[in-house]
Amino acid sequence: MIKHLLSGGDLDADTATEILDTAAEMATVAGREIKKLPALRGRTVVNLFYEDSTRTRISFEAAAKRLSADVINFSAKGSSVTKGESLKDTALTLQAMGADAVVVRHPASGAPHRLANWVDGSVVNAGDGTHEHPTQALLDAYTMRSRLGRLAGLSVAVVGDVLHSRVARSNVLLLTTLGAKVTLVGPPTLIPVDIAGALAPGTDVSYDLDSVLPNVDVVMMLRVQRERMNDSYFPSAREYARRYGLDGPRMRRLPEHAIVMHPGPMNRGMEITPEVADSRRSTIVEQVTNGVSVRMAVLYLLLGGNNR
Amino acid sequence: MTAYLITSVSVVGAAPTDLLIRDGVVAEVGPGLSAPDATVVDGAGLVALPGLVDLHTHLREPGREDAETVESGSRAAALGGYTAVCAMANTSPVADTAGVVEQVWRLGREAGLVDVQPIGAVTVGLAGERLAELGAMADSAARVRIFSDDGHCVADPKLMRRALEYVKAFDGIIAQHAEEPRLTEAPRCTRVRSPPGSA
Amino acid sequence: MAYPPAARPSPPRQPSVKVILASADVQRVVDRIAHQILEKTQGAADTVLLGIPTRGTPLARRLAERISTFEDVVVPVGVLDITLYRDDLRRHATRAVGPTELPSGGIDGKRVILVDDVLFSGRTVRAALDALNDVGRPASVQLAVLVDRGHRELPIRADYVGKNIPTSLAESVKVTLAEVDGVDEVKLYGGATS
């Protein structure tokens, strides 16, 4: 088993599948009266969040607590970080407190990789800059597998602001490893020209959502921040929604079995309409539930044994 | 079935010859052609050219119909040997929405003289600040593929980059008036003239 | 699966192997446990068999099959994975988690019989009792094992024992079952020549 989870590209197919299989067992705990396992009793997990992300933090917190770990939430706001403490000094402090794992969210791409060099415990990347968000990719893969029964051979469209999306990058890496085919869709301003070559050869790029939809098993809508409009990545919210938003008529062009995913939080009416978000194809609520199971699996596999 | 026989015409400046045109297509070229059903045009001393395309016209409509209309501009173009004109976006309102470009396109169809292909504005109001809805114009009935802010240069390099990238989605072209306004702005020497009779 | 004691002996250089139960013996022993369950539970009503992976699972299925053959009662069978409840997780590389499958009727208010191949230190059963506690509330819990080799480290005993095998700590007992290993056999390794 790996020691850290920093990138969707760090996982080989066997390890990724082991995480998904373990998550499936963890998921059964959520259906029990006693939603608790003793496996990480006495372990300490620190949630080190330099960005506000209530959803991701509470998902990790619930996962760690269900495995009986002690959880320390370290929010950079109102902490010594705002007094100018460096990431390294914070890391050494956590190290001195005996953290077995550090779950880190940081606005700088690569921060978790640096952190992994400074602490003895495991580091889990909970989102770094515009770089990666590997547990999101794992929970997305888990959701696809549980809805569609497989990952190998699936055709997945990832639609929207790929340029700024750590979710997209981790998904491209992980899904390709697991045998799925990814097509990145969005306006050319929001898709880096070299992305396929840089991440995973075989990844397709399209600027035309309508031509892609009839041939996919999964369409994953990315959150598009309205502020991007002010930087002229696209002319207006209206034009974005018209060209790259998923609405009812577009959804009906999908194959019958195809599912619609979104990592949340959604901009209803921008990249996705309420009709689509609330349809039976939508997995948006399942993704949240699955997030806890997948993060339990990751924490167990990183901390559950003597992997030092 | 319409046919024209143009006699003794110089095709793109070559020695005079006859030209038979059936249904808008050149059917035959050569000296001494005859076609009893055709309308004969005496081309002696004239030059035959392919239909010309004007990439940069100002048809002024909507907004300045007193100066020019799509119909009058089309007529002038046809008389000058043009079969297609691209209408610049500096109308009033500016051709920066699907609505305006479709209006210009439709007026061109109604005039029925030449192909009127509207050019869409790159930025809203030609102001050089925010991208216009280029995709909406491309998807409109006018099928706009050329975008330009006309004499207003898109001077912001980042905005220009975005525009160039954005139009890739529908094989668009950005036509730039290559002038950096901050370089060409001349210091003005102003002189206020006194009214006649002043001392 | 036998739970190894804390100080597991290193394997002997020249291991001696002794077959304790051959294939026919294993089947006879399973038959006998099935009869004992029927006798002790007065017909196995409200009873659920939960196998502890790996080899407790096929044993539980066999017992249910024998019980239905003998008395025409259907005893629900499930699987109880104890990985996440083990007390030695940190002594090994992370162990893979297996599925826990409870019968559709659940275990609340039922007599649960845990089934395992070898009873040794008792730690596996301790983990199983903890796991059971988290998935339901049985009326009572019993334990059936194919082999009891002694050396308990916890106050635990089996209600049904197929074969008592007195061993030394230097020896090891290996149960193989057709469903998992291709052959039914119980072998005793080591001891004499180590």
Side-chain angles (χ1 to χ4, degrees), chain A residues 12 140 156 165 167:
Chain A
D12 59 27
D140 289 336
V156 180
S165 175
V167 176

Side-chain angles (χ1 to χ4, degrees), chain A residues 46-268:
Chain A
V46 176
N47 285 327
L48 178 60
F49 275 58
Y50 287 85
E51 281 182 348
D52 289 330
S53 174
T54 310
R55 296 162 157 260
T56 306
R57 186 184 56 72
I58 62 177
S59 181
F60 270 107
E61 187 171 347
K65 285 181 170 169
R66 282 190 187 167
L67 289 167
S68 306
D70 294 314
V71 179
I72 298 172
N73 287 315
F74 188 112
S75 166
K77 278 196 178 151
S79 73
S80 47
V81 171
T82 48
K83 297 173 192 159
E85 186 177 79
S86 72
L87 179 62
K88 182 167 186 178
D89 288 331
T90 305
L92 296 177
T93 304
L94 300 176
Q95 168 85 353
M97 287 176 187
D100 295 295
V102 180
V103 175
V104 61
R105 159 72 59 101
H106 201 284
S109 301
H113 296 69
R114 299 289 292 152
L115 195 63
N117 291 326
W118 295 325
V119 296
D120 291 337
S122 295
V123 174
V124 179
N125 182 357
D128 60 330
T130 59
H131 184 224
E132 286 224 45
H133 193 356
T135 59
Q136 177 72 43
L138 283 162
L139 78 89
D140 289 336
Y142 180 88
T143 305
M144 290 175 210
R145 198 178 75 161
S146 58
R147 273 278 188 125
L148 300 169
R150 71 195 161 97
L151 287 165
L154 285 187
S155 179
V156 180
V158 178
V159 184
D161 185 0
V162 175
L163 181 63
H164 302 95
S165 175
R166 47 196 175 209
V167 176
R169 275 169 188 68
S170 288
N171 262 298
V172 167
L173 291 167
L174 181 71
L175 291 172
T176 305
T177 300
L178 291 169
K181 161 111 187 141
V182 181
T183 303
L184 300 168
V185 185
T189 43
L190 291 174
I191 298 188
V193 281
D194 58 339
I195 190 157
L199 292 182
T203 305
D204 279 346
V205 171
S206 172
Y207 308 131
D208 182 3
L209 179 58
D210 289 312
S211 70
V212 170
L213 290 177
N215 304 311
V216 296
D217 304 295
V218 178
V219 54
M220 184 186 296
M221 305 306 296
L222 299 173
R223 175 181 169 77
V224 177
Q225 292 173 325
R226 280 170 202 276
E227 304 87 87
R228 303 287 180 219
M229 192 174 89
N230 303 332
D231 213 4
S232 282
Y233 286 101
F234 50 90
S236 65
R238 182 175 63 172
E239 171 144 326
Y240 185 87
R242 201 161 40 207
R243 295 183 69 82
Y244 298 104
L246 193 60
D247 58 7
R250 282 208 168 105
M251 179 175 70
R252 285 183 274 284
R253 243 171 273 157
L254 288 166
E256 188 54 35
H257 67 275
I259 58 171
V260 176
M261 307 182 72
H262 193 299
M266 283 180 278
N267 285 313
R268 283 177 187 254

